[in-house]
Amino acid sequence: MLNLAGNRLTTILFHRFFFEEESAERSRDRLKRQCEWLRSHFSPLSLESATGAFQTDQLPPKPLLITIDDAKIELLRVADIFAAFDLPISIFVCVGWSAKESPDEDSSVARLVNQIEWYAGAPKTIDTNRGKIAVGASKLETRKAVDLILADTGGPQPDLEAILSILQNEQDGHDRRISCSWAELADLKASGASIGGHSVSHVNLAEASPLRMKFEIAETQRILAGKFDTCEVFAYPYGMSNTFSAATTKQLSQQGFRYAFLTHSDYPDSETDPLHLPRISMPDRAMSHPEFCVRAAGAGVLYRKLRQARVLKQKLGPDWLT
Ligand SMILES: [Zn+2]
């Protein structure tokens, strides 16, 4: 097998497992083949083992970490496959999405922020005791509405629930189950999965206001630590180079996150910032088995290195190798 990783950690990122163009049975069969291949070519690790060891020389040969972002409910239809191949999974939860599936008092602010961010009903202006908020109109208005809510979260919770129910009624019919509930995530954790944070409402944290960015990170930590005891690992929503910054990194650290994953294809080593960990992202489509193997073996890492070398060559001019 092509082995670009050497003995560095390969972290794979899945989002989805089922695709419209094929039957569920075929999708499950594909994943079984993928899991069988991963099992026979790597040493799979739990999130705790992988993050604890990548900065030292304590990783086993060909270490592998499997991460799954968003905690979509379809995960419940494939968790048995990962378990059958003894492959630990690490699930990064968008807490606003999961809180929506299992609402409780503790998550009112997170649910409201998420509801405003992803509101799909007709544009609407709502009078609140904080002032007017406009939803469904524009990205700018949505950001302003969320910031207005976050500027004063100390008010009575029934007010927040009242705004939530107006928004939910407005978009009746657009609401369907998307993510795992807290109980479903607790079951997954009980059967060996690790849980990490993936923000409250899946926004680009680098573009969010300072107030919103802090809330998204701090509330993720607060809710997940409350539900699952500890939460030290984060995965940036989207995860590309324009989705994090020095300010987001500092905030993660201040809120108790020790590790954070991005989505650039690479392998971490002892020099890698633990709050900027790379991952090999699998495309959300029905891949052939050879394509999966080539990607998991690091073709994207190689492509990225070659592209960086080409950019460098252009900068240095034609005589760069002489
Ligand atoms: Zn995501």
Side-chain angles (χ1 to χ4, degrees), residues 166-219:
I166 293 171
L167 295 177
Q168 277 160 356
N169 290 340
E170 278 295 317
Q171 62 164 31
D172 252 2
H174 291 92
D175 261 351
R176 56 188 176 88
R177 280 214 62 190
I178 293 175
S179 297
C180 295
S181 66
W182 297 128
E184 288 160 347
L185 288 168
D187 284 348
L188 287 164
K189 185 165 189 257
S191 51
S194 301
I195 307 288
H198 194 44
S199 82
V200 170
S201 63
H202 213 284
V203 286
N204 180 337
L205 294 173
E207 288 178 355
S209 68
L211 179 69
R212 175 79 176 273
M213 186 268 282
K214 182 178 178 186
F215 167 79
E216 293 277 338
I217 294 172
E219 190 73 346

Side-chain angles (χ1 to χ4, degrees), residues 15 69-70 198 202:
H15 283 98
D69 282 6
D70 302 342
H198 194 44
H202 213 284

Side-chain angles (χ1 to χ4, degrees), residues 148-169:
L148 194 69
I149 297 292
L150 293 180
D152 174 19
T153 53
Q157 299 298 297
D159 290 349
L160 301 179
E161 294 291 345
I163 305 170
L164 256 168
S165 77
I166 293 171
L167 295 177
Q168 277 160 356
N169 290 340

Side-chain angles (χ1 to χ4, degrees), residues 95-303:
V95 299
W97 293 354
S98 288
K100 185 181 173 196
E101 310 294 359
S102 34
D104 57 26
E105 255 180 44
D106 188 47
S107 63
S108 298
V109 184
R111 282 183 287 122
L112 181 53
V113 168
N114 182 58
Q115 190 75 36
I116 295 172
E117 180 66 33
W118 294 98
Y119 175 77
K124 191 169 179 63
T125 302
I126 304 170
D127 271 318
T128 77
N129 58 5
R130 296 156 172 82
K132 282 185 196 302
I133 61 167
V135 295
S138 69
K139 208 171 171 179
L140 184 67
E141 290 292 336
T142 299
R143 283 182 189 172
K144 276 167 61 183
V146 172
D147 279 1
L148 194 69
I149 297 292
L150 293 180
D152 174 19
T153 53
Q157 299 298 297
D159 290 349
L160 301 179
E161 294 291 345
I163 305 170
L164 256 168
S165 77
I166 293 171
L167 295 177
Q168 277 160 356
N169 290 340
E170 278 295 317
Q171 62 164 31
D172 252 2
H174 291 92
D175 261 351
R176 56 188 176 88
R177 280 214 62 190
I178 293 175
S179 297
C180 295
S181 66
W182 297 128
E184 288 160 347
L185 288 168
D187 284 348
L188 287 164
K189 185 165 189 257
S191 51
S194 301
I195 307 288
H198 194 44
S199 82
V200 170
S201 63
H202 213 284
V203 286
N204 180 337
L205 294 173
E207 288 178 355
S209 68
L211 179 69
R212 175 79 176 273
M213 186 268 282
K214 182 178 178 186
F215 167 79
E216 293 277 338
I217 294 172
E219 190 73 346
T220 299
Q221 171 65 244
R222 188 188 72 79
I223 290 182
L224 290 181
K227 305 274 180 206
F228 303 107
D229 300 333
T230 59
C231 186
E232 294 190 328
V233 191
F234 191 82
Y236 274 93
Y238 311 105
M240 293 85 75
S241 57
N242 62 340
T243 62
F244 68 97
S245 65
T248 62
T249 306
K250 190 174 166 197
Q251 192 60 239
L252 282 170
S253 179
Q254 284 176 347
Q255 299 300 336
F257 288 102
R258 294 176 62 204
Y259 305 95
F261 286 98
L262 295 163
T263 55
H264 60 294
S265 294
D266 208 342
Y267 305 108
D269 57 31
S270 56
E271 305 293 305
T272 307
D273 183 339
L275 291 166
H276 294 158
L277 296 173
R279 288 189 288 181
I280 294 174
S281 183
M282 292 299 162
D284 286 337
R285 58 176 164 75
M287 262 182 298
S288 71
H289 189 61
E291 181 184 350
F292 173 79
C293 298
V294 166
R295 283 180 180 275
V301 179
L302 182 61
Y303 174 73

Side-chain angles (χ1 to χ4, degrees), residues 298-312:
V301 179
L302 182 61
Y303 174 73
R304 185 166 166 266
K305 300 279 178 212
L306 290 172
R307 206 178 50 186
Q308 285 171 338
R310 198 177 64 214
V311 170
L312 189 64

